[in-house]
């Protein structure tokens, strides 16, 4: 994961330098300045399809996270598709924004929300490190049947934690793409650079370092806390390991932390959807622009302005 963070940092810095040198204001334009319009069209198509799959994944997560919450609040069975439709309607004003600067508050609220779930997982993992109470300590003559059920529930919630384990080839192939794409933001870095009031090289470097470092710490704590909480029973979505209803005998603080964390995770994914939709829309518009305006990227260099002057002007 450290290697992935470092490689992501270097690739982002390289993209920013290419944008400054070539004058491209988007991911597609940087590719065009280096490889031509055909490659710009191909990369824009790939980016559009990739981000569409990301948005679809976000929509599935939004439905799975918010539907149980809606059912608990309303006290009746609610169709998850209607919940997703209602949330999509609420997000429409954000989905039509034209710059990341207009969506900056999404990042702040989303980061704070996911941090709550990280705290809940770390606290729950710390609690699960303690051995579960034995069934003999829970039994008494008056409530034996009820407390035996509580004991079984507590013991079932604990699973094996492998502190030193050599992963299999299947586990490596499954986890490698997840770790590699943990800092997926290359398609937004140029827009972030354009949104800065003073996009100097030093400022871009510091901003990228702090952003990647913060994401690394949060992701590492999130993964470690989730594994300590569920161990070998960890599922693809860690919230599937957390019961929605409050369990009898469960720590009250832990229940409310996970409830806030679930709401925070749902809020984060909701607010991340417009941030991903923006470059997705721009990639599609790049393709349309190439199709219908074949000379829209051609720069004419006059006798009084050399190519070096154009590059210097774009850099400044």
């Amino acid at each position: 994961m450290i290697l992935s963070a470092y490689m992501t940092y270097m690739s982002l810095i390289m993209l920013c330098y290419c944008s400054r040198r070539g004058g491209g204001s988007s991911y597609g334009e940087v590719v065009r300045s280096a490889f031509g319009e055909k490659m710009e069209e191909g990369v824009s198509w790939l980016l559009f399809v990739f981000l569409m799959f990301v948005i679809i994944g976000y929509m599935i997560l939004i439905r799975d996270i918010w539907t149980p919450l809606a059912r608990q609040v309303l006290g009746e069975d609610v169709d998850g598709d209607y919940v997703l439709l209602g949330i999509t309607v609420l997000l429409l004003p954000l989905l039509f924004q034209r710059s990341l600067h207009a969506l900056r508050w999404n990042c702040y609220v989303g980061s704070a929300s996911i941090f709550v779930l990280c705290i809940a997982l770390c606290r729950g993992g710390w609690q699960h490190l303690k051995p579960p109470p034995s069934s003999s300590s829970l039994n008494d003559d008056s409530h034996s049947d009820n407390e035996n059920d509580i004991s079984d529930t507590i013991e079932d919630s604990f699973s094996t934690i492998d502190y030193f384990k050599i992963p299999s080839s299947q586990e490596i192939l499954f986890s490698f793409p997840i770790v590699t794409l943990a800092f997926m933001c290359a398609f937004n870095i140029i827009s972030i650079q354009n949104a800065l009031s003073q996009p100097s090289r030093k400022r871009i470097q510091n901003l990228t370092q702090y952003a990647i470092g913060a994401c690394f710490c949060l992701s590492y704590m999130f993964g470690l806390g989730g594994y300590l909480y569920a161990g070998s029973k960890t599922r693809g979505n860690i919230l599937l390991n957390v019961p929605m209803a409050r369990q009898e005998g469960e720590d009250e603080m832990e229940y409310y932390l996970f409830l806030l964390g679930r709401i925070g995770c749902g809020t984060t994914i909701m607010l991340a959807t417009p941030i991903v939709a923006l470059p997705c829309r721009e990639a599609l518009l790049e393709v349309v622009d190439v199709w219908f305006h074949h000379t829209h990227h051609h720069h004419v260099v006059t006798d009084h302005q050399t190519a070096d002057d154009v590059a210097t002007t774009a850099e400044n």
Side-chain angles (χ1 to χ4, degrees), residues 44-184:
S44 297
W45 268 119
L46 289 175
L47 191 60
F48 170 73
V49 173
F50 171 71
L51 293 177
M52 279 298 298
F53 280 115
V54 173
I55 293 175
I56 292 172
Y58 280 0
M59 292 297 181
I60 295 174
L61 287 174
I62 289 173
R63 184 191 61 188
D64 292 344
I65 292 174
W66 285 103
T67 299
L69 291 171
R71 290 172 179 171
Q72 188 174 18
V73 171
L74 299 177
E76 58 183 17
D77 190 17
V78 180
D79 192 343
D81 294 336
Y82 289 113
V83 175
L84 177 59
L85 178 61
I87 292 176
T88 304
V89 172
L90 292 177
L91 289 176
L92 282 179
L94 300 178
L95 293 173
F96 289 104
Q97 296 297 322
R98 297 185 177 182
S99 68
L100 287 176
H101 183 73
L103 301 174
R104 63 192 183 278
W105 294 107
N106 294 32
C107 300
Y108 304 148
V109 177
S111 300
S113 301
I114 202 66
F115 189 69
V116 175
L117 181 58
C118 184
I119 294 177
L121 285 174
C122 291
R123 186 179 184 278
W126 176 257
Q127 294 292 331
H128 280 206
L129 285 177
K130 301 176 182 179
S134 60
S135 57
S136 59
S137 64
L138 294 175
N139 293 330
D140 62 21
D141 295 336
S142 58
H143 304 285
S144 58
D145 293 338
N146 186 30
E147 292 182 345
N148 277 331
D149 293 339
I150 297 174
S151 175
D152 293 338
T153 301
I154 295 175
E155 290 177 357
D156 289 342
S157 64
F158 289 83
S159 57
T160 305
I161 297 177
D162 298 319
Y163 294 99
F164 302 99
K165 179 185 178 181
I166 299 177
S168 63
S169 58
Q170 183 179 2
E171 292 173 338
I172 293 176
L173 291 175
F174 177 79
S175 60
F176 180 75
I178 299 175
V179 176
T180 305
L181 299 176
F183 309 97
M184 180 185 62

Side-chain angles (χ1 to χ4, degrees), residues 25-29 31 37-52 55 98 186-188 191 275-291 296-297:
S25 60
S26 66
Y27 194 87
E29 290 184 6
V31 175
E37 289 189 355
K38 292 295 184 182
M39 186 60 68
E40 176 192 10
E41 181 182 354
V43 171
S44 297
W45 268 119
L46 289 175
L47 191 60
F48 170 73
V49 173
F50 171 71
L51 293 177
M52 279 298 298
I55 293 175
R98 297 185 177 182
F187 49 84
N188 269 338
S191 299
I275 298 177
V276 177
L278 178 61
C280 182
R281 184 176 68 242
E282 289 181 348
L284 180 61
L285 292 178
E286 283 286 344
V287 175
V288 175
D289 208 18
V290 171
W291 281 0
H296 72 297
H297 287 317

